Amino acid sequence: MGKTIAEKIFDAHHVDSPFGDIDVISLDAVFCHEITTPIAITDLMARGKDRVFDPSKIKAVIDHVTPAKDSKTAMQGKILRDWAVRHKIKDFFDIGRNGVCHAIFPEKGFVRPGFTIIMGDSHTCTHGAFGAFAAGVGTTDLEVGILKGVCAFKKTESIKVYISNSVGGSGELPKGVYAKDVILSLIGQVGVNGATNKVLEFCGPVVEKMTMDQRMTLCNMAVEAGATSGICAPDMVTVEYLWQFIKDDYLSNAQNGFKDKHSSKVDEYSAKRMALEDFSRFTPDSDAIYSSTIQMDVSELQPLVTFGYKPDQVKPVAEMEGTRIDQVYIGSCTNGRLEDLEIAASILKGKKISDSVRGVVSPATPDIYSQALDKGIIKIFMDAGFCVTNPTCGACLGMSNGVLADGEVCASTTNRNFNGRMGKGGMVHLMSPATAAASAIKGYITNSELYSL
Amino acid sequence: MKNFNGKVLFLNRSDINTDEIIPAKYLTESTKIALKPYLLEDIVLKGFNPAKDIEGKSVVIARDNFGCGSSREHAPWAFEVNGINMVIASGFARIFRQNMFNCGMMAVELDNATIDRLFTMFADKNTSVETDMDKMTFIFTADKSSQISDDSSGSNLLREVIPFKISEYDLSLVKAGGWVDYADQKY
Ligand code: SF4
């Protein structure tokens, strides 16, 4: 019987099945940030269990509120910082080097195909873009992860989401339509609990064509449909993204392989093929069993936007045209990566945002920020009238750097439109960076010029 | 084991999310008890006033997809410090459900029809539940308030016994009082 990606990963990490439908699996990485981890740390200390299972497998970042905005958030940072020092956790990213967790950890090469990862953060599903099983957990699960390197999950079932474009069959998205629109459309279709306890396995020509940045956007919002994780099969796009981190391994492996053949010259191409071959252990079998299959045809897909307090309340931007906004936010683990900034900048170039709108952009990591500087993207944002903040979650969860006032409306590239999410009494409309940039210029929700029917 | 008996708070909505249960701005609190005044502060629900309606309640009954959204365990904790150790709903978000059991609390699923019936029979009354962990049943009771009883027994009590199921694993967490000690011993 064939297996899904998640089943293959679970098989490779199985530790125990203490009760029928529960699998305890070993973890390759435990990610931590300063909002949910300090309580786990203080609880472990109170239990006399201030230990970590393997400091090299723990990665930590201060990202939600940074720089600290008050004494309480300063203390959360301090608890995490002291803990990282105490346990010699060397991959700890403090101010100056810190960025949004789900952007910085992949960028540092901490996610690999076939990995198992947990974090005290629901959008941990983002890392499934690399063919990993990555899931958000609460503080207690996080504590056990830190202490023992294991986590318990219900037996995984997957939903196959096959995404294609019936026009031309090329796998391209229509012009001006992005991964964000694809995932909003899917959530609108299945609902906010349509995938509860399931893994969403994304496949098909559109997914194969997507860059890693786009795949991360896609997997990021799997949890908005209730899913445990999103996941994409690893392929050459994955290998290329990870190449700087894995090339030494595969080049030397390839070198060894070539010795017999009287050749010392290793071409990068065959080393990459080797990596791909290796990762293909985590591609799904053709006869894998899925709890259901969803076919998505993107040929008619339009840019979308949410209209209520739930991420499955989705409409075409065209139907929301003219909706008043007070703030535009471009950033977050959903859409704060370089490609997102590039797309927004291509629309903002040479233009000014409306006088009635505040524009805030948070590049998701220092590396993204610095590349955006080099490419002139930051200048475009600033000339257009945006405030450019340091890399942080900040406004996304209404804790700092752009909190809304009661009654205000935000056009946002983030992932949650819950009531009060970006500030009590505030309204959030989720959309792609292209739609957000175009809306900033007009001062109301509107389609970008990149999209035309 | 925690207490799963007492007065019921009915929240007649689906998709109640963790931002509504405890808004992000309170995630900077470093003790559970500090969360107490803010439970359900941002909930969108007509006729519900968190300042008045939570006091004295021990169990919540709601509709589908309860606890969706963020992974914050602050959500179960905010219930716990208000004396609410159990939520009964027709469905839960995965992380919230697991967090409840990981804390030795209960998140119990009942089918839609049963939840409907409970809302119809009990939502507008002063309702209590008693949880029998051995028989795995809930006993709901309420006064047939202000109605004059016309059945010959003269009973003025509304009573409903509902069986429930939780997995062996969940039960062991409830009994052990959580997952940390269990895992530390075993793995
Ligand atoms: S950017 Fe927003 S959704 Fe992403 S991790 Fe930060 S707070 Fe959570």
Side-chain angles (χ1 to χ4, degrees), chain A residues 16 136 139-140 148 310 424, chain B residues 15 27 42 73 94 187:
Chain A
D16 191 16
T139 297
T140 306
K148 308 303 284 190
K310 295 198 301 161
K424 196 175 173 74
Chain B
D15 308 314
L27 301 187
D42 275 354
E73 206 159 300
R94 177 190 65 90
Y187 303 110

Side-chain angles (χ1 to χ4, degrees), chain A residues 397-417:
Chain A
L397 78 167
M399 282 185 86
S400 61
N401 278 12
V403 180
L404 302 177
D406 195 355
E408 285 193 325
V409 182
C410 185
S412 179
T413 68
T414 54
N415 48 37
R416 288 212 168 118
N417 55 348

Side-chain angles (χ1 to χ4, degrees), chain A residues 33 63-64 100-102 121 123 220 332-334 392-393 396-397 414-416 421:
Chain A
H33 65 55
D63 63 348
H64 276 56
V100 176
C101 49
H102 309 306
D121 192 285
H123 292 102
N220 176 270
S332 86
C333 59
T334 321
T392 175
C393 298
C396 169
L397 78 167
T414 54
N415 48 37
R416 288 212 168 118
R421 171 75 178 181

Side-chain angles (χ1 to χ4, degrees), chain A residues 16 24 39 49 51 72 76 120-121 136 138-141 148 192-193 197 228 310 416 418-419 424, chain B residues 15 17 19 27-29 42 44 64-65 69-71 73 77 94-95 99 102 169 179 181 184 186-187:
Chain A
D16 191 16
V24 176
I39 294 206
K49 295 181 183 187
R51 309 188 299 267
K72 283 181 178 169
Q76 290 181 306
D121 192 285
T139 297
T140 306
D141 275 335
K148 308 303 284 190
V192 286
N193 60 348
N197 281 320
T228 305
K310 295 198 301 161
R416 288 212 168 118
F418 295 161
N419 179 41
K424 196 175 173 74
Chain B
D15 308 314
N17 66 62
D19 276 79
L27 301 187
T28 60
E29 298 297 345
D42 275 354
V44 187
D64 204 5
N65 197 31
S70 109
S71 64
E73 206 159 300
W77 297 335
R94 177 190 65 90
I95 303 175
N99 286 345
N102 280 347
Y169 173 62
W179 161 236
D181 289 328
D184 196 23
K186 200 153 173 205
Y187 303 110

